[in-house]
Amino acid sequence: GLMGSGIAQVVAEAGLGVCVNDISSDLVNNAIKNINKRWESKLKKNKISEEDLSQLKKRLTGDEDIEKAVKDADMVIEAAVKK
């Protein structure tokens, strides 16, 4: 969702590796796509460089398998919808 992808974006921008996890590969891919769009927008506005963008993209991965997503994690942040 928007909150989870926003958290992932900020963490990657802080210099840490991030693995986005969700219940389906479509949701994971959508989150990564939206983060990349926001970074591309920052690039167009000269807020980040091509090198920055390259490094950011290297820090961002995704997996719908929670065990794989957290296998090497030092920290896990959950952003879940509350009903």
Side-chain angles (χ1 to χ4, degrees), residues 15-66:
L16 302 172
V18 178
C19 184
V20 174
N21 171 259
D22 214 316
I23 58 173
S24 75
S25 60
D26 286 341
L27 291 172
V28 170
N29 293 334
N30 192 47
I32 291 172
K33 182 177 88 176
N34 288 332
I35 293 168
N36 282 320
K37 281 183 185 178
R38 292 192 293 267
W39 285 338
E40 292 286 345
S41 177
K42 285 185 170 196
L43 177 67
K44 288 178 185 175
K45 295 176 184 176
N46 293 316
K47 293 185 176 184
I48 62 172
S49 68
E50 289 279 353
E51 178 61 25
D52 293 334
L53 180 60
S54 175
Q55 292 302 313
L56 289 166
K57 288 183 175 186
K58 288 178 185 176
R59 290 186 203 124
L60 183 64
T61 62
D63 203 306
E64 71 275 5
D65 183 330
I66 187 71

